[in-house]
Amino acid sequence: MARRIDYSARYTHPAEKVYSALTNRDYWEARMVELRKFSDNHVESFDVGDDGIDLVFHHIIPRHTLPDIAQTVMKKDMVITRKEHYSVFGDEVTGTYSASIPAGPGSLSGTMALFGTDTGSTLRTSSEAKVFIPFVGGKLEQLMLVNLVDLFRTEAQVTADWLAEQ
């Protein structure tokens, strides 16, 4: 059974300015610098084209830092490959993401929507975690989503700081 969660990052800047940050390689590098405080992270590929923004980045989490329940499944460091796509800028920017772990026992994916609000803009992310292991799957799904919200909060703060400096 899959578990779902929504997270909304609210910004005081208009959607156009947030989108502009998403098109800037330096912005993504700033995100990676912040995330490296927790684990090794790097941008693998980044492309801004006629159909929007595409990027791939890696989160590498040392096995010994994983919760005990995750260590029973993961026998090596966890390498998470995250792929994101954002549409071209418009009234609402839509996107998708997926996160995969080689030989991982599940999946993580979601959709994103960036839109203007009366006070700035919101980037809403809807995520779904699935783990295909009997008995512990639900616990691992919940653990993934809780950690994902923490990650999204950190990324939202980096974005807010980046926008404030521009």
Side-chain angles (χ1 to χ4, degrees), residues 20-43:
S20 179
L22 297 174
T23 66
N24 187 319
R25 175 77 183 227
D26 291 339
Y27 160 77
W28 291 101
E29 291 301 331
R31 266 179 59 167
M32 294 301 109
V33 166
E34 181 62 28
L35 294 176
R36 282 185 199 115
K37 293 177 181 176
F38 308 101
S39 65
D40 186 26
N41 293 273
H42 66 275
V43 175

PDB file of all heavy atoms in Angstrom, residues 20-43:
ATOM      1  N   SER A  20      12.716  31.635 -12.099  1.00  0.00           N
ATOM      2  CA  SER A  20      14.015  32.107 -12.567  1.00  0.00           C
ATOM      3  C   SER A  20      15.146  31.447 -11.780  1.00  0.00           C
ATOM      4  O   SER A  20      16.175  31.067 -12.346  1.00  0.00           O
ATOM      5  CB  SER A  20      14.093  33.634 -12.454  1.00  0.00           C
ATOM      6  OG  SER A  20      15.353  34.096 -12.892  1.00  0.00           O
ATOM      7  N   ALA A  21      14.967  31.292 -10.468  1.00  0.00           N
ATOM      8  CA  ALA A  21      15.970  30.599  -9.662  1.00  0.00           C
ATOM      9  C   ALA A  21      16.125  29.160 -10.133  1.00  0.00           C
ATOM     10  O   ALA A  21      17.253  28.656 -10.253  1.00  0.00           O
ATOM     11  CB  ALA A  21      15.592  30.642  -8.185  1.00  0.00           C
ATOM     12  N   LEU A  22      15.013  28.497 -10.436  1.00  0.00           N
ATOM     13  CA  LEU A  22      15.063  27.107 -10.879  1.00  0.00           C
ATOM     14  C   LEU A  22      15.820  26.944 -12.193  1.00  0.00           C
ATOM     15  O   LEU A  22      16.334  25.860 -12.483  1.00  0.00           O
ATOM     16  CB  LEU A  22      13.654  26.535 -11.027  1.00  0.00           C
ATOM     17  CG  LEU A  22      12.802  26.455  -9.758  1.00  0.00           C
ATOM     18  CD1 LEU A  22      11.383  26.004 -10.092  1.00  0.00           C
ATOM     19  CD2 LEU A  22      13.430  25.550  -8.720  1.00  0.00           C
ATOM     20  N   THR A  23      15.901  28.008 -12.984  1.00  0.00           N
ATOM     21  CA  THR A  23      16.623  27.944 -14.267  1.00  0.00           C
ATOM     22  C   THR A  23      18.101  28.287 -14.126  1.00  0.00           C
ATOM     23  O   THR A  23      18.838  28.266 -15.102  1.00  0.00           O
ATOM     24  CB  THR A  23      16.010  28.911 -15.308  1.00  0.00           C
ATOM     25  OG1 THR A  23      16.212  30.260 -14.884  1.00  0.00           O
ATOM     26  CG2 THR A  23      14.541  28.626 -15.542  1.00  0.00           C
ATOM     27  N   ASN A  24      18.543  28.567 -12.909  1.00  0.00           N
ATOM     28  CA  ASN A  24      19.908  29.034 -12.671  1.00  0.00           C
ATOM     29  C   ASN A  24      20.753  27.914 -12.051  1.00  0.00           C
ATOM     30  O   ASN A  24      20.475  27.453 -10.939  1.00  0.00           O
ATOM     31  CB  ASN A  24      19.858  30.251 -11.741  1.00  0.00           C
ATOM     32  CG  ASN A  24      21.181  30.919 -11.564  1.00  0.00           C
ATOM     33  OD1 ASN A  24      22.217  30.277 -11.432  1.00  0.00           O
ATOM     34  ND2 ASN A  24      21.146  32.245 -11.534  1.00  0.00           N
ATOM     35  N   ARG A  25      21.808  27.511 -12.739  1.00  0.00           N
ATOM     36  CA  ARG A  25      22.684  26.432 -12.233  1.00  0.00           C
ATOM     37  C   ARG A  25      23.281  26.795 -10.864  1.00  0.00           C
ATOM     38  O   ARG A  25      23.443  25.934 -10.004  1.00  0.00           O
ATOM     39  CB  ARG A  25      23.790  26.155 -13.254  1.00  0.00           C
ATOM     40  CG  ARG A  25      24.841  25.148 -12.823  1.00  0.00           C
ATOM     41  CD  ARG A  25      24.313  23.732 -12.935  1.00  0.00           C
ATOM     42  NE  ARG A  25      25.269  22.747 -12.464  1.00  0.00           N
ATOM     43  CZ  ARG A  25      25.574  21.650 -13.113  1.00  0.00           C
ATOM     44  NH1 ARG A  25      25.032  21.394 -14.289  1.00  0.00           N
ATOM     45  NH2 ARG A  25      26.415  20.790 -12.607  1.00  0.00           N
ATOM     46  N   ASP A  26      23.604  28.070 -10.664  1.00  0.00           N
ATOM     47  CA  ASP A  26      24.173  28.492  -9.377  1.00  0.00           C
ATOM     48  C   ASP A  26      23.197  28.253  -8.228  1.00  0.00           C
ATOM     49  O   ASP A  26      23.606  27.926  -7.119  1.00  0.00           O
ATOM     50  CB  ASP A  26      24.581  29.965  -9.417  1.00  0.00           C
ATOM     51  CG  ASP A  26      25.778  30.211 -10.326  1.00  0.00           C
ATOM     52  OD1 ASP A  26      26.535  29.251 -10.602  1.00  0.00           O
ATOM     53  OD2 ASP A  26      25.948  31.366 -10.762  1.00  0.00           O
ATOM     54  N   TYR A  27      21.916  28.423  -8.491  1.00  0.00           N
ATOM     55  CA  TYR A  27      20.905  28.136  -7.465  1.00  0.00           C
ATOM     56  C   TYR A  27      20.976  26.662  -7.051  1.00  0.00           C
ATOM     57  O   TYR A  27      20.972  26.341  -5.863  1.00  0.00           O
ATOM     58  CB  TYR A  27      19.505  28.482  -7.981  1.00  0.00           C
ATOM     59  CG  TYR A  27      18.398  27.786  -7.211  1.00  0.00           C
ATOM     60  CD1 TYR A  27      18.020  28.242  -5.956  1.00  0.00           C
ATOM     61  CD2 TYR A  27      17.770  26.657  -7.720  1.00  0.00           C
ATOM     62  CE1 TYR A  27      17.023  27.596  -5.232  1.00  0.00           C
ATOM     63  CE2 TYR A  27      16.783  26.003  -7.000  1.00  0.00           C
ATOM     64  CZ  TYR A  27      16.412  26.477  -5.761  1.00  0.00           C
ATOM     65  OH  TYR A  27      15.444  25.831  -5.041  1.00  0.00           O
ATOM     66  N   TRP A  28      21.038  25.764  -8.026  1.00  0.00           N
ATOM     67  CA  TRP A  28      21.077  24.335  -7.722  1.00  0.00           C
ATOM     68  C   TRP A  28      22.357  23.977  -6.970  1.00  0.00           C
ATOM     69  O   TRP A  28      22.334  23.148  -6.061  1.00  0.00           O
ATOM     70  CB  TRP A  28      20.914  23.502  -8.992  1.00  0.00           C
ATOM     71  CG  TRP A  28      19.529  23.625  -9.532  1.00  0.00           C
ATOM     72  CD1 TRP A  28      19.115  24.399 -10.575  1.00  0.00           C
ATOM     73  CD2 TRP A  28      18.353  23.014  -9.000  1.00  0.00           C
ATOM     74  NE1 TRP A  28      17.751  24.282 -10.729  1.00  0.00           N
ATOM     75  CE2 TRP A  28      17.261  23.438  -9.784  1.00  0.00           C
ATOM     76  CE3 TRP A  28      18.113  22.131  -7.943  1.00  0.00           C
ATOM     77  CZ2 TRP A  28      15.960  23.010  -9.543  1.00  0.00           C
ATOM     78  CZ3 TRP A  28      16.819  21.710  -7.706  1.00  0.00           C
ATOM     79  CH2 TRP A  28      15.754  22.152  -8.501  1.00  0.00           C
ATOM     80  N   GLU A  29      23.458  24.621  -7.336  1.00  0.00           N
ATOM     81  CA  GLU A  29      24.709  24.374  -6.614  1.00  0.00           C
ATOM     82  C   GLU A  29      24.592  24.858  -5.167  1.00  0.00           C
ATOM     83  O   GLU A  29      25.100  24.213  -4.250  1.00  0.00           O
ATOM     84  CB  GLU A  29      25.885  25.025  -7.327  1.00  0.00           C
ATOM     85  CG  GLU A  29      26.237  24.363  -8.653  1.00  0.00           C
ATOM     86  CD  GLU A  29      26.600  22.881  -8.537  1.00  0.00           C
ATOM     87  OE1 GLU A  29      27.120  22.438  -7.490  1.00  0.00           O
ATOM     88  OE2 GLU A  29      26.356  22.144  -9.510  1.00  0.00           O
ATOM     89  N   ALA A  30      23.906  25.980  -4.955  1.00  0.00           N
ATOM     90  CA  ALA A  30      23.691  26.473  -3.582  1.00  0.00           C
ATOM     91  C   ALA A  30      22.865  25.470  -2.778  1.00  0.00           C
ATOM     92  O   ALA A  30      23.124  25.247  -1.591  1.00  0.00           O
ATOM     93  CB  ALA A  30      23.002  27.839  -3.604  1.00  0.00           C
ATOM     94  N   ARG A  31      21.875  24.855  -3.411  1.00  0.00           N
ATOM     95  CA  ARG A  31      21.092  23.813  -2.734  1.00  0.00           C
ATOM     96  C   ARG A  31      21.969  22.637  -2.357  1.00  0.00           C
ATOM     97  O   ARG A  31      21.881  22.106  -1.246  1.00  0.00           O
ATOM     98  CB  ARG A  31      19.944  23.331  -3.627  1.00  0.00           C
ATOM     99  CG  ARG A  31      18.677  24.085  -3.341  1.00  0.00           C
ATOM    100  CD  ARG A  31      17.511  23.702  -4.189  1.00  0.00           C
ATOM    101  NE  ARG A  31      17.067  22.332  -4.145  1.00  0.00           N
ATOM    102  CZ  ARG A  31      15.904  21.930  -4.647  1.00  0.00           C
ATOM    103  NH1 ARG A  31      15.091  22.806  -5.215  1.00  0.00           N
ATOM    104  NH2 ARG A  31      15.564  20.670  -4.606  1.00  0.00           N
ATOM    105  N   MET A  32      22.858  22.235  -3.277  1.00  0.00           N
ATOM    106  CA  MET A  32      23.730  21.104  -2.997  1.00  0.00           C
ATOM    107  C   MET A  32      24.689  21.415  -1.849  1.00  0.00           C
ATOM    108  O   MET A  32      24.961  20.559  -1.005  1.00  0.00           O
ATOM    109  CB  MET A  32      24.533  20.696  -4.241  1.00  0.00           C
ATOM    110  CG  MET A  32      23.689  20.149  -5.388  1.00  0.00           C
ATOM    111  SD  MET A  32      22.721  18.684  -4.966  1.00  0.00           S
ATOM    112  CE  MET A  32      21.059  19.366  -4.943  1.00  0.00           C
ATOM    113  N   VAL A  33      25.201  22.643  -1.800  1.00  0.00           N
ATOM    114  CA  VAL A  33      26.094  23.038  -0.703  1.00  0.00           C
ATOM    115  C   VAL A  33      25.387  22.859   0.625  1.00  0.00           C
ATOM    116  O   VAL A  33      25.948  22.303   1.575  1.00  0.00           O
ATOM    117  CB  VAL A  33      26.590  24.492  -0.894  1.00  0.00           C
ATOM    118  CG1 VAL A  33      27.229  25.027   0.374  1.00  0.00           C
ATOM    119  CG2 VAL A  33      27.564  24.572  -2.060  1.00  0.00           C
ATOM    120  N   GLU A  34      24.154  23.302   0.730  1.00  0.00           N
ATOM    121  CA  GLU A  34      23.402  23.161   1.982  1.00  0.00           C
ATOM    122  C   GLU A  34      23.143  21.691   2.300  1.00  0.00           C
ATOM    123  O   GLU A  34      23.300  21.258   3.447  1.00  0.00           O
ATOM    124  CB  GLU A  34      22.081  23.927   1.906  1.00  0.00           C
ATOM    125  CG  GLU A  34      21.248  23.849   3.162  1.00  0.00           C
ATOM    126  CD  GLU A  34      21.921  24.439   4.401  1.00  0.00           C
ATOM    127  OE1 GLU A  34      22.765  25.348   4.266  1.00  0.00           O
ATOM    128  OE2 GLU A  34      21.588  23.986   5.512  1.00  0.00           O
ATOM    129  N   LEU A  35      22.776  20.919   1.307  1.00  0.00           N
ATOM    130  CA  LEU A  35      22.458  19.512   1.537  1.00  0.00           C
ATOM    131  C   LEU A  35      23.696  18.690   1.887  1.00  0.00           C
ATOM    132  O   LEU A  35      23.589  17.649   2.535  1.00  0.00           O
ATOM    133  CB  LEU A  35      21.737  18.924   0.326  1.00  0.00           C
ATOM    134  CG  LEU A  35      20.348  19.504   0.065  1.00  0.00           C
ATOM    135  CD1 LEU A  35      19.760  18.935  -1.210  1.00  0.00           C
ATOM    136  CD2 LEU A  35      19.424  19.276   1.242  1.00  0.00           C
ATOM    137  N   ARG A  36      24.870  19.167   1.467  1.00  0.00           N
ATOM    138  CA  ARG A  36      26.103  18.445   1.809  1.00  0.00           C
ATOM    139  C   ARG A  36      26.384  18.479   3.312  1.00  0.00           C
ATOM    140  O   ARG A  36      27.214  17.714   3.791  1.00  0.00           O
ATOM    141  CB  ARG A  36      27.287  19.020   1.037  1.00  0.00           C
ATOM    142  CG  ARG A  36      27.323  18.547  -0.387  1.00  0.00           C
ATOM    143  CD  ARG A  36      28.567  19.006  -1.141  1.00  0.00           C
ATOM    144  NE  ARG A  36      28.308  18.896  -2.559  1.00  0.00           N
ATOM    145  CZ  ARG A  36      28.245  19.910  -3.399  1.00  0.00           C
ATOM    146  NH1 ARG A  36      28.488  21.140  -2.982  1.00  0.00           N
ATOM    147  NH2 ARG A  36      27.970  19.705  -4.672  1.00  0.00           N
ATOM    148  N   LYS A  37      25.701  19.339   4.038  1.00  0.00           N
ATOM    149  CA  LYS A  37      25.837  19.330   5.502  1.00  0.00           C
ATOM    150  C   LYS A  37      25.293  18.029   6.085  1.00  0.00           C
ATOM    151  O   LYS A  37      25.641  17.649   7.191  1.00  0.00           O
ATOM    152  CB  LYS A  37      25.094  20.510   6.120  1.00  0.00           C
ATOM    153  CG  LYS A  37      25.696  21.854   5.773  1.00  0.00           C
ATOM    154  CD  LYS A  37      24.869  22.982   6.346  1.00  0.00           C
ATOM    155  CE  LYS A  37      25.445  24.339   5.988  1.00  0.00           C
ATOM    156  NZ  LYS A  37      24.581  25.439   6.458  1.00  0.00           N
ATOM    157  N   PHE A  38      24.432  17.351   5.325  1.00  0.00           N
ATOM    158  CA  PHE A  38      23.788  16.135   5.792  1.00  0.00           C
ATOM    159  C   PHE A  38      24.331  14.885   5.115  1.00  0.00           C
ATOM    160  O   PHE A  38      24.396  13.827   5.720  1.00  0.00           O
ATOM    161  CB  PHE A  38      22.277  16.218   5.572  1.00  0.00           C
ATOM    162  CG  PHE A  38      21.672  17.470   6.147  1.00  0.00           C
ATOM    163  CD1 PHE A  38      21.356  18.542   5.333  1.00  0.00           C
ATOM    164  CD2 PHE A  38      21.470  17.583   7.508  1.00  0.00           C
ATOM    165  CE1 PHE A  38      20.818  19.708   5.868  1.00  0.00           C
ATOM    166  CE2 PHE A  38      20.940  18.746   8.055  1.00  0.00           C
ATOM    167  CZ  PHE A  38      20.612  19.806   7.228  1.00  0.00           C
ATOM    168  N   SER A  39      24.688  14.997   3.836  1.00  0.00           N
ATOM    169  CA  SER A  39      25.234  13.863   3.086  1.00  0.00           C
ATOM    170  C   SER A  39      25.821  14.395   1.782  1.00  0.00           C
ATOM    171  O   SER A  39      25.622  15.555   1.417  1.00  0.00           O
ATOM    172  CB  SER A  39      24.138  12.827   2.780  1.00  0.00           C
ATOM    173  OG  SER A  39      23.166  13.368   1.909  1.00  0.00           O
ATOM    174  N   ASP A  40      26.552  13.524   1.103  1.00  0.00           N
ATOM    175  CA  ASP A  40      27.149  13.909  -0.172  1.00  0.00           C
ATOM    176  C   ASP A  40      26.038  14.090  -1.208  1.00  0.00           C
ATOM    177  O   ASP A  40      25.174  13.221  -1.351  1.00  0.00           O
ATOM    178  CB  ASP A  40      28.141  12.835  -0.617  1.00  0.00           C
ATOM    179  CG  ASP A  40      28.903  13.238  -1.858  1.00  0.00           C
ATOM    180  OD1 ASP A  40      29.058  14.450  -2.111  1.00  0.00           O
ATOM    181  OD2 ASP A  40      29.354  12.334  -2.592  1.00  0.00           O
ATOM    182  N   ASN A  41      26.058  15.201  -1.899  1.00  0.00           N
ATOM    183  CA  ASN A  41      25.049  15.509  -2.917  1.00  0.00           C
ATOM    184  C   ASN A  41      25.721  16.203  -4.082  1.00  0.00           C
ATOM    185  O   ASN A  41      26.640  16.996  -3.877  1.00  0.00           O
ATOM    186  CB  ASN A  41      23.986  16.468  -2.348  1.00  0.00           C
ATOM    187  CG  ASN A  41      23.150  15.828  -1.267  1.00  0.00           C
ATOM    188  OD1 ASN A  41      22.165  15.198  -1.559  1.00  0.00           O
ATOM    189  ND2 ASN A  41      23.565  15.985  -0.020  1.00  0.00           N
ATOM    190  N   HIS A  42      25.259  15.923  -5.290  1.00  0.00           N
ATOM    191  CA  HIS A  42      25.777  16.662  -6.438  1.00  0.00           C
ATOM    192  C   HIS A  42      24.780  16.625  -7.598  1.00  0.00           C
ATOM    193  O   HIS A  42      23.970  15.705  -7.709  1.00  0.00           O
ATOM    194  CB  HIS A  42      27.146  16.129  -6.881  1.00  0.00           C
ATOM    195  CG  HIS A  42      27.100  14.731  -7.423  1.00  0.00           C
ATOM    196  ND1 HIS A  42      27.166  13.619  -6.618  1.00  0.00           N
ATOM    197  CD2 HIS A  42      26.991  14.272  -8.687  1.00  0.00           C
ATOM    198  CE1 HIS A  42      27.113  12.536  -7.360  1.00  0.00           C
ATOM    199  NE2 HIS A  42      27.002  12.902  -8.611  1.00  0.00           N
ATOM    200  N   VAL A  43      24.869  17.680  -8.424  1.00  0.00           N
ATOM    201  CA  VAL A  43      24.042  17.764  -9.626  1.00  0.00           C
ATOM    202  C   VAL A  43      24.726  16.945 -10.706  1.00  0.00           C
ATOM    203  O   VAL A  43      25.894  17.186 -11.028  1.00  0.00           O
ATOM    204  CB  VAL A  43      23.857  19.231 -10.083  1.00  0.00           C
ATOM    205  CG1 VAL A  43      23.092  19.283 -11.400  1.00  0.00           C
ATOM    206  CG2 VAL A  43      23.153  20.054  -9.013  1.00  0.00           C
TER     207      VAL A  43
END
